[in-house]
Structure formats: C-alpha cells, structure tokens
C-alpha cells in the first residue's frame, strides 16, 4: 500500500466512525462521494471470512436478517445490525454488489448516519415505499452474502474432516495389515519351533 492509499484508508475509517455524530447532518450524496473515492493504486480488498463474521454477528443475528429479507419480521427487528453491515461494506470487507448508487446512499444514510428511512425519503425526494423497498433489497443481498460466507466455511470444515477421516482410515488399515503380518509371523515361528522340537525329541529317542 502506498502512502496516499494508506492515508485515505485511515481517513475513511475515521470518517465512517464520525458519520453518526459530527457528520450526521451532512448530505448523504456528499458523504457517499467521500466514501467512494478511488485512489490511483488501490490494493485488493481482504473480504470477510467466517472467523471474522462470527466475531461480529451471532447465528441468531443472521437468522433475524434472513427473516427480514423474507418478510417474516419488520425492519425495526434488524436495525441494530445495519451499523455493522454498513461499516463492513464501506471498509471493503464485503463483496456485495449493488445495482446503483442509490442503494449505496441508503446504506450510508441509514447505517452510518443513522437517518430515519422516512426522513431519508424526503431528503432524496423519493417515495417512502421506494426507499423501504430498496432498503429491503439491500439487506436481502447482504443476507445472502453473509450466509454464503458462513456456508463456505462449513463446507471447508466438512472437507477437512472428511480428509482427516480418510487419513485415519488409511493408518488404521496399515495398522491392521501390520498386525496380521505380525500374527502370521508369530504363527510361523510357533510352527517352526514345534517342528524343531519334534525333530529334537525324535533325535533323542533314536539315541
């Protein structure tokens, strides 16, 4: 990372943390413009993995998010999750694709600036129903992404466990084979001893 990118990443992190305080009344369009600045040499982002995910969200949190995305609960049930989701997204920790800037603006305003959806509709001069609909679409995309991160790690764990089991089975088969060979060697030794003992007795009788 060059000095300019390093400076901007630090600035963006701090700016994100201040958007719900000193910059809460900043126009969402201006906040978004600052958050989406591209540096000349932007390094490849390091996306969220399952370990990081589990440190931020409980499984119950992911279930609540999925329940909202599938119309089983209303948005107040998941508003406590939106701040962390927004921080992850704008810090380039989530590989979620949004179809337009308006969706990013809604996530910025509601998640980082903690603006009310109804007030945001007035600021953006849009219908409330449109903003609510887009908000749900955003969180549905996020829910799908976070579930995929979770499932990907579970798949990796299953594969790792299967590979470990196969290796143990191979070792067990080798041990069984060695045991059989040892038993056979002992049986052969006993047979040889019996033959030698018999020959010794016959020799003694002949004398």
């Amino acid at each position: 990372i060059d000095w300019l990118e390093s400076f901007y990443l630090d600035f963006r992190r701090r700016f994100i943390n201040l958007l719900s305080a000193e910059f809460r009344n900043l126009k969402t369009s201006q906040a978004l413009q600052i958050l989406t600045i591209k540096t000349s040499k932007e390094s490849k982002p390091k996306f969220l993995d399952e370990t990081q995910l589990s440190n931020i969200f409980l499984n119950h949190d992911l279930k609540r998010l999925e329940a909202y995305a599938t119309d089983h609960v209303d948005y107040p049930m998941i508003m406590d999750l939106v701040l962390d989701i927004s921080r992850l997204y704008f810090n380039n920790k989530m590989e979620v694709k949004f179809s337009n800037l308006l969706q990013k603006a809604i996530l910025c305003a509601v998640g980082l600036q903690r603006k009310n959806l109804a007030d945001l509709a007035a600021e953006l001069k849009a219908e409330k129903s449109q903003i609510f609909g887009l908000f749900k679409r955003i969180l549905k995309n996020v829910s799908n992404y976070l579930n995929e991160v979770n499932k990907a790690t579970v798949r990796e764990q299953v594969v790792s466990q299967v590979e470990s089991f196969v290796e143990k089975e191979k070792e067990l088969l080798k041990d069984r084979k060695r045991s059989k060979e040892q038993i056979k060697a002992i049986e052969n030794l006993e047979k040889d001893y019996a033959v030698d003992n018999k020959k010794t007795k016959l020799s003694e009788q002949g004398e």
Side-chain angles (χ1 to χ4, degrees), residues 32 59 99 107 164 172 174:
L32 185 63
N59 282 331
S99 57
L107 188 61
S164 176
L172 187 58
K174 287 179 182 178

Side-chain angles (χ1 to χ4, degrees), residues 37-49:
I37 290 172
K38 297 290 184 184
T39 57
S40 57
K41 293 181 180 179
E42 193 161 351
S43 59
K44 188 177 180 181
K46 294 179 181 178
F47 296 122
L48 193 70
D49 59 29

Side-chain angles (χ1 to χ4, degrees), residues 49-81:
D49 59 29
E50 193 273 340
T51 302
Q52 294 168 322
L53 178 65
S54 62
N55 288 334
I56 300 169
F57 301 111
L58 301 174
N59 282 331
H60 178 64
D61 295 332
L62 300 182
K63 292 294 181 186
R64 279 193 292 139
L65 195 60
E66 187 176 357
Y68 172 68
T70 52
D71 297 320
H72 288 91
V73 298
D74 206 355
Y75 77 93
M77 290 292 294
I78 51 84
M79 289 303 293
D80 59 302
L81 306 177

Side-chain angles (χ1 to χ4, degrees), residues 167-180:
E167 287 301 316
K168 286 179 181 178
E169 280 295 303
K170 286 179 180 178
E171 288 298 321
L172 187 58
L173 288 172
K174 287 179 182 178
D175 290 340
R176 286 174 180 169
K177 187 177 179 181
R178 281 194 292 266
S179 296
K180 287 180 179 179

